[in-house]
Amino acid sequence: MRPETPIGASPAPRRRKRSTLVLGVLITLVGVLGTSMLVRSAGDRIDVLAVARDVPVGQEITAEDLTTAALPEDPALQPVKASEKDNVIGRRATAPLHRGELLANSQIHGGKTLPDGQELVAVEVQRGAAPSDALAPGDQVKVVSTPGKDEAAPASGAKSAPQEIEAKVVKVGASNASGAVVIQVAVASTDSAQLAARAATGRVAIVLSAKG
């Protein structure tokens, strides 16, 4: 004979079905909430400017140097907004710009252009070759060529005496580990190429003119 099923015993399969249904509803709700949070987070993102290719200090920034990136809005970050791109183009980099980094206002010169007939040149001077602690934007200076290690300094008044180029300080950078400092100066357009060539040799010094 078959064993009789006890009267009053609840059918287990029905309970399992109900539990499975409740679990499925919960999983669906969690998924919907998660998607909603992601959409909301994406809505808080802002478009900012980033560097598309390396730009050396002192060089004018072009449209090809810039790209855009979308970032979550964060008060701790202060990149230049993408809407300001037209105002950035034509300005000069006050620090080396590296591809992939965000663009900050501190990395670009405050004005778009220099006065007519002037150009910006970045001059790196070695430790002790400039009174960097005393220099400030607006100071009038002389940029002087210096002899190499194996060259003797020319006598005063000699034809081969180092030539001087008049310049105006625009920005004084921070010294690096070796004590070298990058000083950005505005010079006459007729002197800019010559000064840039001298600065590339690393054999220059800056003399601060007397302040009026």
Side-chain angles (χ1 to χ4, degrees):
M1 297 178 61
R2 295 181 180 179
E4 297 181 358
T5 302
I7 298 175
S10 300
R14 184 174 296 178
R15 286 186 178 179
R16 291 197 188 99
K17 289 181 180 180
R18 183 175 298 174
S19 299
T20 302
L21 179 62
V22 172
L23 180 59
V25 172
L26 290 175
I27 292 175
T28 302
L29 288 175
V30 170
V32 171
L33 290 174
T35 302
S36 176
M37 292 179 65
L38 287 174
V39 172
R40 183 177 300 177
S41 176
D44 293 338
R45 300 171 79 86
I46 58 173
D47 290 333
V48 299
L49 290 178
V51 182
R53 60 186 182 184
D54 292 349
V55 179
V57 62
Q59 181 169 302
E60 187 174 293
I61 299 172
T62 66
E64 290 73 22
D65 298 326
L66 303 173
T67 186
T68 58
L71 295 178
E73 199 164 5
D74 186 345
L77 299 176
Q78 297 182 335
V80 180
K81 293 183 179 179
S83 58
E84 299 179 27
K85 182 177 180 178
D86 290 343
N87 294 327
V88 172
I89 296 173
R91 296 189 182 185
R92 296 182 183 272
T94 60
L97 305 181
H98 302 291
R99 179 181 178 183
E101 69 181 9
L102 299 180
L103 184 67
N105 280 309
S106 60
Q107 296 174 304
I108 53 179
H109 188 259
K112 262 196 169 185
T113 59
L114 294 171
D116 291 340
Q118 291 193 349
E119 294 183 345
L120 191 68
V121 179
V123 180
E124 183 178 49
V125 292
Q126 303 304 312
R127 183 194 300 270
S132 53
D133 291 341
L135 291 178
D139 285 345
Q140 294 293 331
V141 297
K142 297 175 182 178
V143 184
V144 183
S145 295
T146 58
K149 292 182 179 180
D150 299 328
E151 298 178 8
S156 178
K159 291 184 179 180
S160 58
Q163 294 183 340
E164 302 173 352
I165 295 179
E166 300 285 341
K168 184 178 182 179
V169 176
V170 174
K171 182 179 177 67
V172 181
S175 59
N176 61 22
S178 65
V181 178
V182 174
I183 300 173
Q184 298 179 50
V185 296
V187 298
S189 300
T190 53
D191 294 330
S192 60
Q194 183 181 12
L195 178 57
R198 292 186 188 181
T201 68
R203 294 163 47 187
V204 292
I206 290 183
V207 179
L208 177 62
S209 303
K211 297 182 180 180

